[in-house]
Amino acid sequence: MGGWAAATWRLAGCSGRGVLRGAARRRGSSLRGGGERAASLSELLQSSVGDEESGEGEAAAGERRERRSPREGAVLLFPGQGSQFVGMGRGLLRYPGVRDMYRLAEKVLGYDLLSLCLEGPRAELDRTRHCQPAVFVASLAAVEKLNHLQPKVVESCVAAAGYSVGEFAALVFAGAMDFAEALYAVKVRAEAMQVAAEAVPSGMLSVIGGREANYRYACLEARRHCESLGIDNPVCVVSNYLFPDSRALEFLQKNAPKFSFTRTKMLPVSGAFHTRLMEPAVEPLAEVLKSIEIQKPLICVYSNVDGKKYMHSKHIQKLLVKQVVSPVMWEQTMHSVYQRKQGMEFPYTYEVGPGKQLGAVLRKCNLKAWRQYSHVDVTEEEEAAET
């Protein structure tokens, strides 16, 4: 099975020249775990390379890209941990290549991911070591569905972003990483984060506050409270910047009125992710990323660490490691993705994978961009409605 060929769908984007050549260069890459690339992806690759070899000049292609209306482009958003649910993926199995993806995933992971996604039990699927690979594969399988139903959307994609582990899926889609190698890196990341979470009791709290809410002060007060209880070096920090007036914190439910928090909710995760409590996971992920091939994305992909575009392979390698112990700058990422001159149209946006959380966040960040939002679902019920 060759490298994940979403890269071959790139006909335009930030990388401009060399997009089709980039698709060709990955053609012979090998995947950990064996198998053959899905036929639909091979056909797309042949088609893309064929277009390049047919004599269409780069200048003409560049002119067409320049003339393209922003509305004709698309942005894909890939969800992260917490969006998983038992039954996800059932509605995707009819699409070309999806079963092959799950068969390859079983070889890479060493367990039957598809059965776990379809049948549970939920407690096992929700474990960090399982849910991160599950969301990664389900999201890329959702891309297969999108490509089958609306191939022009995939062809016209100009940017991608992924939330936490979703960033790996975005990079695979953009041709920067091989599917199986990226899945192996996700496996190592998830297992290391599970170990780190179990080493120190911790958790995450979703908080929505008014404009007067001071989150950093609230965290400081929470740490002081822990120190008064005799806890050494307590951790309470902002770990996810989602949208205006929303943050993920610890400790603060009982004192919500004091800090002008209007709503708090404990998140169903096993640890305080994207904080220094995840430092034990840094070295294992760094080592595995050194061992796999990473290339410059063929479209714009935005980093969780700073909300900016990835520039080159070393940049990706460095920031994927840093992301584990850094807050997710999702609000800033959304501003970067949708920043444009006044009056310019917003691109169509598709959330690919389980859940609609990123769409809800987009609505809070940018209502005009959200009006062009759609969700590519992974459920059986949606498939039944379409037939």
Side-chain angles (χ1 to χ4, degrees), residues 107-159:
K107 294 179 180 179
V108 173
L109 299 172
Y111 57 87
D112 189 345
L113 180 67
L114 180 58
S115 293
L116 182 60
C117 289
L118 297 182
E119 302 168 8
R122 179 177 176 178
E124 281 300 303
L125 180 60
D126 285 347
R127 295 189 69 194
T128 296
R129 68 189 306 266
H130 293 145
C131 69
Q132 289 191 17
V135 171
F136 170 87
V137 176
S139 297
L140 290 171
V143 174
E144 291 283 10
K145 172 184 174 179
L146 180 61
N147 182 59
H148 181 81
L149 298 178
Q150 297 177 269
K152 290 185 179 180
V153 169
V154 178
E155 291 172 3
S156 68
C157 187
V158 295

Side-chain angles (χ1 to χ4, degrees), residues 6-17 19-20 23 44 47-49 51-52 56 61-62 64-65 68 151-152 154-158 298-299:
T8 68
W9 300 336
R10 300 293 72 68
L11 303 181
C14 296
S15 46
R17 302 179 62 174
V19 167
L20 299 180
L44 282 167
S47 173
S48 295
V49 176
D51 287 343
E52 183 183 36
E56 180 181 49
R64 186 173 67 249
R65 284 194 292 270
R68 170 176 287 163
K152 290 185 179 180
V154 178
E155 291 172 3
S156 68
C157 187
V158 295
L298 299 177
I299 61 170

Side-chain angles (χ1 to χ4, degrees), residues 19-328:
V19 167
L20 299 180
R21 288 198 300 274
R25 88 187 167 199
R26 288 186 64 80
R27 188 176 178 184
S29 65
S30 61
L31 283 176
R32 194 187 308 271
E36 293 297 322
R37 176 182 295 166
S40 61
L41 302 183
S42 293
E43 289 167 4
L44 282 167
L45 177 57
Q46 294 290 346
S47 173
S48 295
V49 176
D51 287 343
E52 183 183 36
E53 293 173 348
S54 67
E56 180 181 49
E58 289 180 354
E63 182 179 357
R64 186 173 67 249
R65 284 194 292 270
E66 290 174 3
R67 291 179 179 176
R68 170 176 287 163
S69 164
R71 184 61 56 79
E72 296 176 12
V75 174
L76 296 195
L77 302 180
F78 293 82
Q81 180 174 349
S83 61
Q84 73 279 352
F85 60 88
V86 174
M88 69 178 187
R90 194 181 305 278
L92 303 175
L93 298 176
R94 67 179 64 190
Y95 296 104
V98 171
R99 288 187 181 274
D100 288 341
M101 293 172 66
Y102 279 101
R103 278 192 284 265
L104 178 55
E106 183 174 357
K107 294 179 180 179
V108 173
L109 299 172
Y111 57 87
D112 189 345
L113 180 67
L114 180 58
S115 293
L116 182 60
C117 289
L118 297 182
E119 302 168 8
R122 179 177 176 178
E124 281 300 303
L125 180 60
D126 285 347
R127 295 189 69 194
T128 296
R129 68 189 306 266
H130 293 145
C131 69
Q132 289 191 17
V135 171
F136 170 87
V137 176
S139 297
L140 290 171
V143 174
E144 291 283 10
K145 172 184 174 179
L146 180 61
N147 182 59
H148 181 81
L149 298 178
Q150 297 177 269
K152 290 185 179 180
V153 169
V154 178
E155 291 172 3
S156 68
C157 187
V158 295
Y163 188 90
S164 191
V165 71
E167 198 165 300
F168 286 81
L171 287 164
V172 170
F173 172 74
M177 302 176 76
D178 170 277
F179 170 77
E181 290 183 341
L183 177 57
Y184 183 73
V186 168
K187 174 181 183 290
V188 171
R189 177 187 191 266
E191 291 173 350
M193 291 175 71
Q194 179 84 52
V195 171
E198 292 172 352
V200 179
S202 58
M204 299 177 73
L205 183 75
S206 175
V207 176
I208 297 177
R211 295 188 180 278
E212 68 276 16
N214 187 327
Y215 299 98
R216 288 187 174 85
Y217 173 71
C219 289
L220 175 61
E221 286 289 289
R223 291 194 295 270
R224 287 173 175 170
H225 170 75
C226 291
E227 289 170 349
S228 72
L229 298 177
I231 299 174
D232 293 329
N233 198 22
V235 175
C236 182
V237 295
V238 178
S239 64
N240 298 267
Y241 293 84
L242 298 176
F243 52 84
D245 301 333
S246 173
R247 303 291 186 266
L249 305 173
E250 228 282 343
F251 159 76
L252 302 161
Q253 275 184 303
K254 291 182 180 179
N255 296 283
K258 175 181 177 181
F259 299 112
S260 300
F261 296 157
T262 58
R263 189 170 67 192
T264 63
K265 180 182 178 181
M266 288 301 299
L267 299 179
V269 297
S270 59
F273 301 136
H274 303 289
T275 72
R276 62 182 174 84
L277 291 178
M278 292 294 110
E279 286 179 357
V282 167
E283 185 175 351
L285 179 59
E287 288 302 311
V288 73
L289 289 176
K290 290 177 184 177
S291 70
I292 67 177
E293 181 183 11
I294 302 175
Q295 301 187 30
K296 182 178 179 179
L298 299 177
I299 61 170
C300 298
V301 178
Y302 294 80
S303 169
N304 285 184
V305 173
D306 56 13
K308 298 178 181 179
K309 302 170 190 173
Y310 280 117
M311 303 306 296
H312 50 76
S313 59
K314 292 295 184 182
H315 193 208
I316 295 171
Q317 182 178 323
K318 177 181 178 181
L319 292 190
L320 283 180
V321 173
K322 188 175 181 181
Q323 185 223 70
V324 173
V325 291
S326 302
V328 175

Side-chain angles (χ1 to χ4, degrees), residues 68-71 339-347 368:
R68 170 176 287 163
S69 164
R71 184 61 56 79
Q339 184 178 16
R340 58 202 58 244
K341 295 179 181 178
Q342 188 171 2
M344 285 187 67
E345 294 179 321
F346 285 92
K368 291 182 178 179

